[in-house]
Amino acid sequence: MQENERTVVIRDTKQLLRPATRRGFLRALGLGGTVVLLPSVFAACEDSFGSEAAPEVTEAFRRANTITLNLNNDIGIFNFAFLLEQLEAAFYEQAVASTAFQQLSTPEQELITDLRNDEVTHRQFLATALGSAAIRPAAFNFDGRFASRDTILNTALALEQTGVAAYNGAGNNLSNVNNLLVAGKIVSVEARHAAALADALDTTGVAYADLTRLTAFGADDATARDNVLEAPAVLPLAAPFINTTITPVELGALPTEPTA
Amino acid sequence: MSTQNTLPLLDGIEPEIVQTLVTRREAIARTSKFGAAALAAATVPVALAGLARSAYGQAPTSVLGVLQFALLLENFEAELYKAVLGSSAVPAFNAAFAPVRATFTPTEVATVTLLRDHEIKHVNFLRAAITGAGGTPVTYDPAATFDFTGGRGSRTGPFAPATVDKLFLLAATQGIEDTGVRAYKGQAGFLLGTRTLQEALRIHSLEAKHAARVRRMRRTANPSGTAVRYSGTVQGEGATAGGPLPAASANVPQASLTALTNAFALIYAGEGNTTHTVNNGSADVALNAATLPGLSSGADVTLAFDEPLTRAQVVAIVQPFVIPTIS
């Protein structure tokens, strides 16, 4: 990639932990730059397209399948939200159709069905709002997550807590007050979902908002502040479910041709 | 966007708003982690463009004003839960709630204890935030400030059944938590471009988690009352969005149920709105979620979006429980 201080290419999740990359990321964010997240970021938990793959395969894959999220404008932030809503909606659509769904109690079936409806609504709303600026539909991999009632509820819980963290983290980066309000209308629904799922799995009476269990999502119990994560910290949480080996995620083009 | 664009933008904004914007711009410059220059060049004019009265439906208020308002609401919640649990500094409050407290299961005690602890932490956090922003947090004397019966000091108001009847208390608690969610949502726009925004958002989503748990407790107690969802979300608007209330009884007179129904009508006013406005970078676009393509069969889209309340709407809801007039 050409040296350009306004473009930061993230090739794997570990890179986000390196101080130089983080500085570059923040600088790009502050200067109105572009952050490019290569598919390998999303495939971080898979082997077939990791750094071990043949270079020419990896490169072809990168060129054909790259997400560009300009996190310094509202369109990019909404596209980031759209990706997460696609993920949630796809999970619930498959969950209600799974065999294990029948293991759920009647209240739990109502819960998961409501969540399916809400997340599909969010997905369709953002798709319509973004229009031609929307990223293309992603493909997802939920292998093993529909094995039982517990895997369904626990996976759903992780996805919803991720959503709360992502929206809370994105709020500061939105520039338009109407867009902020829409994000606010959605994030509290995600929070209700998360609490409902935690409560469905709970016997203690506190899991609905036990922030000591949510430090991985950025929550702080000492000050009773809920989840918050910036986008680079959210994406590794979503990565295990984003399927880049069967149906590649193809979500836009690089602003600059990578030279590997 | 260049700074030259700022002046025409300001021309389009109502005069009394401009002073707030200038103050906010200075605040942004002080707190920016990216430096004042970058934000002045990029973020601020964009933020200004979104802050016209027409865009948000309320006159803007200062960050300190938002924080002080939130502090009053959090104080109210914290003092209520202290009273319910018998840990209030006001002996009369503890005594009043003793009957309902005696009916709690250990799990219910754990739930309300977490509610109380979170609201106390929010009070402390907001006090520190106000001090940090150069203000002086208001200290509320609970006995002189709050009347949980809704009697503004009589302590015999229509919500007194909350001290003896668990289902009435839970219904009121749901209304209080949902009011908190809607209040923060209504104020968030005034914090755009400040670091305070993220903190408010994090409190806002936690209040939603609280509300969801209370809704699930109510639904579990009344499984046929499907207007209260196991998903913790809010269906429809107005009094029905509060869900069904317990029947009148010796402990819960009809007048109290009517008062709670009327409170729900205020608390959930406009919650059934399905039209949401997004800005695509050049224009505001209103989208009706109810008519989107690809919705799930049978979906009620009012569950998927929570709506804001204005400060005036929130004041109308909480004033009966606050003895001094809220200014």
Side-chain angles (χ1 to χ4, degrees), chain B residues 141-175:
Chain B
D141 170 3
T145 308
F146 303 115
D147 178 349
F148 304 119
T149 71
R152 291 201 72 181
S154 73
R155 296 188 185 171
T156 58
F159 293 87
T163 63
V164 293
D165 185 273
K166 187 160 64 183
L167 292 181
F168 192 93
L169 173 64
L170 286 175
T173 301
Q174 172 201 297

Side-chain angles (χ1 to χ4, degrees), chain B residues 68-161:
Chain B
Q68 292 280 18
F69 185 47
L71 180 60
L72 171 63
L73 300 178
E74 296 286 359
N75 257 284
F76 171 68
E77 292 183 332
E79 293 300 332
L80 169 63
Y81 298 134
K82 284 187 207 173
V84 170
L85 292 167
S87 64
S88 171
V90 184
F93 285 174
N94 294 331
F97 281 94
V100 75
R101 186 162 62 242
T103 69
F104 281 10
T105 67
T107 304
E108 290 164 345
V109 170
T111 292
V112 180
T113 300
L114 188 61
L115 290 175
R116 178 198 63 186
D117 292 350
H118 281 172
E119 310 305 2
I120 291 172
K121 288 171 179 177
H122 289 166
V123 167
N124 293 337
F125 181 77
L126 289 168
R127 291 184 64 85
I130 290 166
T131 302
T136 303
V138 176
T139 298
Y140 295 98
D141 170 3
T145 308
F146 303 115
D147 178 349
F148 304 119
T149 71
R152 291 201 72 181
S154 73
R155 296 188 185 171
T156 58
F159 293 87

